[in-house]
Amino acid sequence: MTAIRLTINGTQIADDVPARLSLADYLREPRNLTGTHLGCEHGVCGACTILVDGEPVRSCLTLAVACDGCQVRTIEGFGSDPVMTALREAFHRRHGLQCGFCTPAMLITAHDLIRRGRAASETEIRLGLAGNICRCTGYTNIVAAIAEAAVAAAKGPPDAE
Amino acid sequence: MPNEAWGIGASLLRREDERHLHGRGEFVPDIKLPGTREVAFVRSPHAHARIRGINVPSDAARRVFTAADLPRIKPIRVETQAPGTKAPLWPPLATDKVRYVGDAIAACLAPTRAEAEDLAALVSVDYEVLDAVVAAPRDMRGSRHPVHDGWGDNLFSERVFESGDIDAAAGAADITIQREYRMNRQSGAPLEGRAVLAYRDWRLDEIVVYASTQTPHTLRVALGEFLGLDLRRLRVVAPDVGGGFGPKARLYPEEIVLAALALELDHPIRWVEDRTEHLLTAAHTRDHHYKITAYADREGRILGLDAEIIVDAGAYGLWPQGPYQEAAMAARNLPGPYAITNYRCRASTVATNKAPLGPYRGVGRPGACFAIERTIDEVARALGRDPVDVRELNMVRPEQMPFTTVGGMRFDNGDYPQSVRLCAQLLDLPELRTRQRQGESDGRLIGTGFASFAEQTAHGAAEFVARGAAIVPGFESCTARILPDGSLVLMVGIQSHGQGLETALAQIAHHELGIDPVRIAVRHGDTESTAFGFGTFASRSMVMSGGAVARASRLLRDKLCQIGAHLLQCEVTAVRCADGVVQGPQGSVTIAEIAKIAHLRMDGLPPGVDPLLDATATYEPGIGTGVFSYATHGAVVAVDAETGSVELLDYAVAEDCGTMVNPMIVEGQIRGGVVQGIGTALYEEIPYDDHGQPLAGTLADYLLPGAAELPAIKIGHLHTPAIATEYGMKGMGEGGAVAPPAAIANAVRDALAAIGAEVNETPITPRRVVAAIKKARERSPQVRP
Amino acid sequence: MKAPAFDYVRPQSLGEAMALLAKSSGEARLLAGGQSLLALMNLRIAAPALLIDIARLPELAAAVDGVDRVILGAGITHAMIEDTRVPDPSRGLMPRAAASLAYRAIRNRGTIGGSLALADPAAEWPAVFAALDGEITVASPRGRRSLNCAGFSTGIYETQLAEDEILENVRIPKLSPGARWGYVKLARKSGEFANALAVAVADPARRFCRIVLGAANGPPIVLAAASQVLAEGRSDPDRLRGAVAADLDRAADRHFDDFQRHLNIVAAARALQQVTA
Ligand SMILES: Cc1cc2nc3c(=O)[nH]c(=O)nc-3n(C[C@H](O)[C@H](O)[C@H](O)COP(=O)(O)OP(=O)(O)OC[C@H]3O[C@@H](n4cnc5c(N)ncnc54)[C@H](O)[C@@H]3O)c2cc1C
Ligand code: FES
Ligand code: FES
């Protein structure tokens, strides 16, 4: 067991974790943040994507011990973030989800694309989603939803953070 | 009148979305029970071997369970009424023999999955390795070590379908087209794998099994049978399920083992399939070989079809339907939406040392569609005709409906040729032909291809009985219950895992009762709270469960009207139920008021009317042979003849699924299905080597379609309501996945027409494209692109 | 699919990391971005007893913009190069390669040092840095040494790194303003590993022309004959292809099948075309 301190969704936490525990399993099991999903555990599917220090990472390929001192943000931690709110609204209206398994990580990836200004065209959005598999929707509606949210985000008040 | 924005035909936004958008869905691995132990399985690394012994670490008693430790478990047995079929027994934990890589041998328990895997690594198994049966066409009649001892050959079943006079057709033909096609083995690969959590509830004296399944009720039946338990002692719950697509509509060894462990142990146990386990052991799919001979006249009219289909079904048949339906469905669907009169087909289902084959979106049909649609294009090419015209020429016409094909499919209605025309329009075919003639500036070759099909959906008892099915999923059920405050709960036997049935079924109840959809809850997936039903597969849930909801709602409506008329002091015939009220000539009473009386103030009930507003109804469509959706898909590709890469430039679907309850959801299902079909066409494959080792165990080897490689999918609708179903609905969940391999292969063929190359095997990989081009050039070296 | 048990340490300095590695007698592995190593461990293909986490070492995060070269610490991530958050000596080649590599979430953690040290035959950086004539600095308690990127990898997942050595940085000569490059990655999907990879660099002012083939069933191959054609400034496609074919004939030990050979020639020819066009 190794002692770590980290901030998860704004709350500071001190914990002891086994070295081999992935960040994904740490969040899902002891922290009960089950919105982070596991679809492959080898980096390809993207279902486990969350933010560490503001950047998307694969939580299946990140050790919890290595996140000592880090800021972790999961789907449960976006509160009323305006971009996330716009994305959720657009995914709902555009039918951008079916089974919902890919959805949290899709939203986080989309959030990052919009934040980095990489959601300006359909092509750009599609490339930006290359690392997030959705087995249900065929992507058309996800892409449309992100494009719509990107426009809404550009118009609306800037990201509070 | 139901509210237009909420009722049938409205794209009502989904009730399911909220929880998933906030990461609050509840999938099996999300459920936490104190004291849960995680399970990892010891699995065979060999495709075919005898087990000489299993060595369990001496301190691992009650932590490692082999078949010998769980004597209660009976081998899985598939019953079939179809003659001439073999049905091997399948011990959920291997006893004497392993028959595919991944076959489960022991269950290992530990506080965490990581530790369970550590433990599994300590179990050693002594194997006597046998020759693996890998090549179905070669080994079907026999092999050195047959998959199942005591069989002379490796055949699960073999059947000949014959109709008309194929020899006469051959004699009358102007041209003969012969081809071999291959649709390779793949995985279903929902994003969430399988998962099981089981525990004993001592208070209720039952075993509770949470499973990521599409079929909770039949899973319970199976667990009861193979564990020898009364069903009253079993409860199965499918919570949120992260995609199913067919593979989760079958019973698996792991489910039986976990339930058996729950009987043995005083703590919950959980098994969460990892991706490698999924790719190796969850139902595989496709794996069809075709040999087709088509006879046609000089117009392109197909006179006869002579076919051989071999399905490589893997080692066992999955319960309940066994391995047989794949080949039979392929054989019956091979004549496609065409009025072909002479047909002969031998369909063989072969046992090999590979993972068992099971259903996956489209079952049998994507292969059949690939074979017939590629053949139609070759007939057209041989005659120098446009494949679009040849398709139309051969198609069953609206005035011929209802029409029974040589494959025995009874089409109910629709304008099939119109779907071809609409699809060509969506792609702007004339414009494409011009672009094609002009050539691309980057040197790539453009091609357009089409594929049409009719999809049997919501088939009832007649169809399953004809198939010799062990169980006959010919109906669905709904219990509709109005609560004392007038809100409504629909308890249904299907399982919604992305199809939006929590929304669409509420729309139907709204249509019948006028209750605001936000006051309607749809409960599914739990054997405790729902009447028996078969679950969600075979494009059946909307039609079947929707029909049951309609009927149960009407039963409630009748009672509401009865009570309402009494309260309004008028004749029942003078009231109607709409907009949440019972409306009489002189006034109205709300459903909430009636509900209160039916529960809390029974003194207000009319004489002879019982309290409660609770109705259960079942539903089977008026035609047991199914109602047929149909569609034409069109693909536009750019092929890089040097690298063999195929880019999809455009994709369109022109389809007819009768009345759409929720068009938004329908289109979502189509697009999702299409992209899965694109996966079959271009990416997904689990090859096996000569020793039966699967060569795709991770998503780095098993490629799933991604957003970056896909165009937006266009959809055009035709509307021919079914006659035999409620509201004219037809099922449509699978169709999207049926035609893409054929449409894309035809498009690739079109692109490579000048070179004379064709790719008749899926997935159409760069390697296969380059090989096809090389072969064509060696045949006619003078042709250069 | 969970990693086997191991111990974990996060040293505070490169020196400390070197000392830990040296005394681990081969049982330890360095953990950089973990984007390859943790995947291999989850699959139980790799099972080190100790992980020495070097991801946050300041020495490995350094980026130095020198007069004629740029020095990039081993811990620089793919995303930092993609976003040009570190100096780019390659006039766009490296950001282009970075953007085509894996997915953003992986690029945010994966490092150039990890990629070079792993020496996956299909990886981008070994080929790109070889084409740019980069040099690698490796450090151990025994001292430092400098190795050419071309030749650093000695086989599939094999390099010249000794057990106690840490890859410290990569030194990449700056391309002259008139230099041109070509980059062709042929993969079945965006972000997947390459089926064929060709990187061509022509920098006449520095009299440097080189074309390198990655995804070559082993370390990247410097295509000598094709590099010569490039140096001559000729753009005759048939000659280019002939030269590449001749180079591939000399690489018989790679056992390319027909398709791979064909794809390699196509990739190399296209990279050369990009340079000469
Ligand atoms: C889904 C997926 C797709 C990918 N696609 C691509 C791709 O297309 N192209 C590509 O090139 N890569 C790809 N990668 C790999 C990715 O680029 C990795 O980041 C990279 O290969 C390893 O870098 P790392 O920092 O993550 O190293 P780690 O995984 O931490 O380490 C890798 C190895 O290098 C050793 N090591 C690390 N740093 C040092 C050092 N400084 N000195 C000595 N040894 C060291 C480690 O001990 C280990 O053996 C992909 C990875 C995934 C999961
Ligand atoms: S679970 Fe992490 S990428 Fe698939
Ligand atoms: S909605 Fe099911 S995987 Fe995306």
Side-chain angles (χ1 to χ4, degrees):
Chain A
M1 288 290 193
T2 309
I4 54 168
R5 283 169 178 282
L6 73 175
T7 307
I8 302 176
N9 298 331
T11 307
Q12 288 194 13
I13 287 163
D15 219 335
D16 285 315
V17 292
R20 64 164 144 177
L21 191 66
S22 73
L23 180 57
D25 282 336
Y26 173 64
L27 294 168
R28 290 183 45 77
E29 301 296 335
R31 309 265 35 117
N32 204 25
L33 294 167
T34 53
T36 299
H37 297 153
L38 290 172
C40 72
E41 298 178 271
H42 43 256
V44 184
C45 78
C48 67
T49 307
I50 59 166
L51 299 183
V52 174
D53 294 336
E55 301 280 355
V57 305
R58 299 295 206 226
S59 60
C60 72
L61 298 185
T62 304
L63 294 176
V65 279
C67 292
D68 187 31
C70 293
Q71 299 272 342
V72 172
R73 201 179 196 190
T74 68
I75 191 65
E76 292 91 345
F78 282 84
S80 58
D81 173 282
V83 173
M84 189 53 89
T85 305
L87 278 165
R88 284 179 169 139
E89 173 66 20
F91 269 61
H92 182 49
R93 269 189 293 104
R94 292 285 189 154
H95 188 27
L97 63 156
Q98 290 184 21
C99 79
F101 200 77
C102 70
T103 309
M106 261 317 160
L107 289 169
I108 287 175
T109 299
H111 189 271
D112 180 63
L113 291 177
I114 293 176
R115 182 184 66 87
R116 289 189 294 120
R118 297 298 177 87
S121 67
E122 180 182 340
T123 312
E124 205 172 37
I125 295 169
R126 285 185 175 274
L127 275 172
L129 293 180
N132 287 71
I133 300 291
C134 174
R135 190 56 159 162
C136 298
T137 65
Y139 305 103
T140 301
N141 296 352
I142 292 178
V143 173
I146 296 172
E148 193 174 290
V151 171
K155 280 205 212 110
D159 193 336
E161 296 204 349
Chain B
M1 272 276 91
N3 185 314
E4 295 278 310
W6 297 339
I8 289 172
S11 286
L12 184 66
L13 299 182
R14 297 195 331 159
R15 304 282 298 280
E16 294 82 345
D17 292 356
E18 174 81 7
R19 63 182 187 271
H20 295 303
L21 288 167
H22 289 84
R24 303 226 161 78
E26 187 183 54
F27 300 89
V28 173
D30 301 341
I31 298 169
K32 305 274 161 55
L33 295 172
T36 300
R37 297 275 145 149
E38 303 287 339
V39 177
F41 284 92
V42 175
R43 296 182 181 279
S44 171
H46 301 293
H48 198 189
R50 251 175 244 295
I51 297 177
R52 289 212 201 95
I54 303 173
N55 307 308
V56 174
S58 52
D59 61 347
R62 307 293 286 170
R63 293 192 291 138
V64 175
F65 291 82
T66 64
D69 303 312
L70 297 168
R72 167 186 278 278
I73 298 180
K74 300 175 193 159
I76 300 170
R77 184 193 164 83
V78 171
E79 278 167 41
T80 162
Q81 267 74 52
T85 53
K86 298 193 201 95
L89 297 180
W90 181 7
L93 290 173
T95 49
D96 57 328
K97 224 176 157 190
V98 285
R99 292 190 171 84
Y100 61 96
V101 172
D103 214 349
I105 296 165
C108 303
L109 279 55
T112 64
R113 168 72 185 228
E115 292 162 290
E117 288 182 30
D118 296 346
L119 181 57
L122 298 176
V123 176
S124 68
V125 181
D126 186 10
Y127 296 102
E128 176 194 338
V129 177
L130 305 172
D131 286 359
V133 177
V134 182
R138 187 192 65 200
D139 295 336
M140 58 195 266
R141 309 268 163 224
S143 63
R144 198 168 99 155
H145 298 136
V147 178
H148 295 284
D149 299 351
W151 293 17
D153 53 23
N154 287 306
L155 273 172
F156 277 118
S157 70
E158 191 158 53
R159 254 177 97 181
V160 177
F161 297 76
E162 204 158 4
S163 183
D165 184 345
I166 192 71
D167 298 320
D174 296 314
I175 60 159
T176 302
I177 298 291
Q178 271 188 316
R179 285 291 183 284
E180 290 189 25
Y181 304 105
R182 177 95 173 90
M183 182 164 280
N184 279 298
R185 181 171 276 255
Q186 63 165 98
S187 168
L191 199 55
E192 185 209 21
R194 295 175 289 150
V196 189
L197 168 68
Y199 65 95
R200 183 172 203 152
D201 185 322
W202 287 92
R203 180 176 65 86
L204 299 176
D205 184 25
E206 67 182 12
I207 300 297
V208 182
V209 179
Y210 282 84
S212 187
T213 180
Q214 300 169 233
T215 58
H217 282 282
T218 47
L219 174 55
R220 176 166 77 159
V221 169
L223 292 176
E225 178 172 344
F226 300 117
L227 293 174
L229 275 186
D230 271 2
L231 295 190
R232 70 141 190 104
R233 298 190 60 207
L234 277 162
R235 175 181 168 202
V236 174
V237 187
D240 278 324
V241 170
F245 314 119
K248 291 182 187 170
R250 288 294 179 267
L251 168 73
Y252 286 100
E254 294 87 350
E255 291 161 338
I256 302 180
V257 172
L258 270 274
L261 287 171
L263 279 164
E264 295 287 322
L265 303 165
D266 55 6
H267 54 76
I269 51 265
R270 182 172 78 164
W271 168 69
V272 180
E273 180 180 61
D274 69 31
R275 185 52 62 183
T276 299
E277 287 181 294
H278 183 85
L279 290 173
L280 265 44
T281 68
H284 284 177
T285 174
R286 314 302 185 228
D287 215 343
H288 294 196
H289 302 250
Y290 291 84
K291 267 189 202 160
I292 305 281
T293 307
Y295 303 105
D297 68 15
R298 62 176 60 81
E299 300 293 305
R301 195 168 285 107
I302 298 190
L303 307 175
L305 205 58
D306 201 354
E308 220 180 284
I309 304 176
I310 297 171
V311 171
D312 176 341
Y316 296 103
L318 290 162
W319 189 93
Q321 307 298 22
Y324 322 106
Q325 69 171 7
E326 192 73 22
M329 270 176 79
R332 294 177 59 207
N333 281 283
L334 190 60
Y338 303 110
I340 298 170
T341 41
N342 304 298
Y343 182 48
R344 180 169 62 200
C345 176
R346 192 178 69 210
S348 315
T349 302
V350 181
T352 58
N353 290 112
K354 301 180 189 171
L357 211 65
Y360 174 61
R361 211 169 195 163
V363 191
R365 288 164 292 205
C369 180
F370 188 67
I372 185 67
E373 293 301 292
R374 278 289 304 113
T375 304
I376 292 271
D377 266 41
E378 291 308 324
V379 168
R381 286 195 186 281
L383 295 166
R385 296 203 55 187
D386 191 323
V388 169
D389 299 336
V390 172
R391 246 176 210 95
E392 278 194 53
L393 175 74
N394 283 288
M395 252 175 195
V396 176
R397 293 184 309 278
E399 67 273 16
Q400 293 174 287
M401 298 287 183
F403 181 94
T404 302
T405 71
V406 272
M409 309 304 268
R410 184 189 174 278
F411 298 155
D412 49 341
N413 59 11
D415 187 343
Y416 293 11
Q418 180 58 21
S419 74
V420 185
R421 293 188 286 266
L422 177 59
C423 188
Q425 244 171 44
L426 289 169
L427 291 180
D428 198 350
L429 191 58
E431 165 69 29
L432 277 171
R433 292 287 182 225
T434 312
R435 178 173 167 187
Q436 201 172 11
R437 272 192 302 276
Q438 284 162 353
E440 295 297 292
S441 57
D442 61 6
R444 290 191 302 173
L445 305 167
I446 302 279
T448 307
F450 294 90
S452 307
F453 65 95
E455 182 199 1
Q456 183 188 31
T457 73
H459 12 302
E463 169 65 20
F464 286 97
V465 170
R467 288 186 196 173
I471 68 166
V472 176
F475 73 92
E476 265 309 322
S477 68
C478 170
T479 301
R481 179 176 297 156
I482 294 179
L483 303 179
D485 67 348
S487 60
L488 171 68
V489 184
L490 303 171
M491 288 160 277
V492 290
I494 50 85
Q495 208 287 335
S496 182
H497 43 281
Q499 297 87 346
L501 289 156
E502 292 171 25
T503 305
L505 293 178
Q507 285 178 264
I508 290 191
H510 169 76
H511 179 87
E512 295 297 336
L513 294 165
I515 296 177
D516 183 336
V518 302
R519 301 207 73 208
I520 303 174
V522 175
R523 296 279 177 260
H524 60 89
D526 187 340
T527 57
E528 180 159 282
S529 57
T530 60
F532 185 84
F534 291 91
T536 292
F537 56 90
S539 306
R540 65 193 296 281
S541 289
M542 198 58 234
V543 177
M544 295 242 186
S545 189
V549 168
R551 286 197 171 180
S553 299
R554 283 179 207 140
L555 291 174
L556 284 184
R557 193 178 62 195
D558 292 347
K559 190 160 177 182
L560 287 168
C561 288
Q562 233 183 332
I563 302 170
H566 176 71
L567 296 174
L568 294 167
Q569 300 189 333
C570 62
E571 291 298 312
V572 173
T573 48
V575 300
R576 59 190 191 90
C577 179
D579 288 335
V581 301
V582 171
Q583 182 77 49
Q586 254 103 51
S588 67
V589 49
T590 65
I591 289 178
E593 287 169 288
I594 298 172
K596 186 175 174 189
I597 285 164
H599 293 87
L600 306 174
R601 292 299 308 264
M602 65 182 289
D603 51 314
L605 288 171
V609 171
D610 294 332
L612 299 188
L613 291 164
D614 201 311
T616 296
T618 64
Y619 176 75
E620 184 194 1
I623 307 175
T625 51
V627 288
F628 284 74
S629 295
Y630 59 94
T632 297
H633 289 206
V636 183
V637 300
V639 181
D640 184 328
E642 274 195 332
T643 63
S645 83
V646 175
E647 189 194 341
L648 265 178
L649 300 179
D650 203 358
Y651 200 97
V653 177
E655 70 87 49
D656 187 345
C657 64
T659 300
M660 292 186 281
V661 174
N662 185 320
M664 175 192 80
I665 291 175
V666 166
E667 295 195 345
Q669 290 294 306
I670 293 170
R671 294 200 167 99
V674 164
V675 168
Q676 290 185 327
I678 291 171
T680 303
L682 297 176
Y683 301 110
E684 299 176 48
E685 180 177 9
I686 302 190
Y688 276 74
D689 73 9
D690 293 345
H691 307 288
Q693 289 294 328
L695 302 179
T698 70
L699 294 187
D701 311 308
Y702 189 82
L703 300 189
L704 292 168
E709 284 73 36
L710 297 166
I713 313 293
K714 294 174 181 162
I715 299 174
H717 296 288
L718 301 167
H719 301 277
T720 316
I723 298 155
T725 64
E726 290 288 349
Y727 318 116
M729 297 186 284
K730 294 179 174 185
M732 52 70 54
E734 296 172 273
V738 170
I744 291 168
N746 281 337
V748 169
R749 171 72 168 115
D750 187 44
L752 301 180
I755 302 173
E758 50 189 281
V759 184
N760 291 325
E761 180 171 3
T762 66
I764 302 169
T765 58
R767 181 179 281 274
R768 289 190 174 115
V769 173
V770 167
I773 291 172
K774 186 163 176 249
K775 198 169 131 195
R777 288 208 171 120
E778 281 164 5
R779 258 200 323 265
S780 49
Q782 72 286 1
V783 189
R784 276 302 207 192
Chain C
M1 192 179 281
K2 310 287 179 192
F6 54 84
D7 291 325
Y8 171 90
V9 281
R10 191 167 62 240
Q12 298 305 311
S13 69
L14 185 60
E16 197 190 329
M18 287 193 291
L20 282 163
L21 185 61
K23 79 164 200 248
S24 81
S25 59
E27 298 288 290
R29 262 174 106 165
L30 300 170
L31 176 70
Q35 300 306 286
S36 295
L37 184 55
L38 293 178
L40 294 171
M41 290 171 66
N42 283 352
L43 292 163
R44 298 201 171 208
I45 294 168
L50 172 69
L51 283 188
I52 302 170
D53 187 347
I54 57 169
R56 298 194 213 172
L57 290 182
E59 294 93 331
L60 302 187
V64 181
D65 196 355
V67 182
D68 54 1
R69 58 181 57 221
V70 165
I71 305 175
L72 296 180
I76 304 276
T77 64
H78 313 318
M80 291 167 80
I81 294 174
E82 176 187 15
D83 298 351
T84 56
R85 280 180 273 156
V86 290
D88 172 22
S90 69
R91 309 191 72 77
L93 167 58
M94 284 164 49
R96 168 72 205 284
S100 78
L101 181 168
Y103 313 110
R104 180 73 186 185
I106 288 165
R107 299 197 290 269
N108 279 331
R109 290 191 88 83
T111 65
I112 53 172
S115 177
L116 291 170
L118 185 71
D120 185 317
E124 271 74 6
W125 294 129
V128 170
F129 291 141
L132 288 167
D133 200 23
E135 278 175 29
I136 290 170
T137 311
V138 302
S140 74
R142 296 175 288 124
R144 289 189 159 66
R145 51 185 190 130
S146 183
L147 301 161
N148 277 330
C149 287
F152 176 69
S153 170
T154 52
I156 296 173
Y157 300 115
E158 284 169 12
T159 69
Q160 294 188 49
L161 271 177
E163 220 163 60
D164 62 348
E165 280 176 327
I166 297 182
L167 199 158
E168 188 176 5
N169 61 42
V170 188
R171 300 155 173 265
I172 307 136
K174 287 186 178 174
L175 291 185
S176 327
R180 300 185 59 118
W181 52 263
Y183 175 82
V184 174
K185 175 180 184 176
L186 299 176
R188 284 179 65 192
K189 276 181 63 186
S190 168
E192 286 298 315
F193 278 101
N195 287 335
L197 179 70
V199 192
V201 173
D203 191 349
R206 285 171 48 245
R207 294 168 174 265
F208 178 80
C209 280
R210 185 176 280 179
I211 169 150
V212 173
L213 207 59
N217 292 352
I221 303 174
V222 178
L223 300 177
S227 300
Q228 184 57 38
V229 174
L230 188 58
E232 290 163 15
R234 307 271 292 268
S235 61
D236 169 11
D238 285 341
R239 220 177 92 85
L240 287 175
R241 279 170 188 254
V244 176
D247 284 322
L248 290 178
D249 288 340
R250 278 188 289 277
D253 60 320
R254 302 303 175 91
H255 303 290
F256 295 123
D257 65 26
D258 282 357
F259 175 68
Q260 287 176 313
R261 184 182 161 87
H262 167 81
L263 220 53
N264 283 332
I265 294 175
V266 171
R270 287 188 180 181
L272 287 164
Q273 256 160 32
Q274 288 177 10
V275 175
T276 52

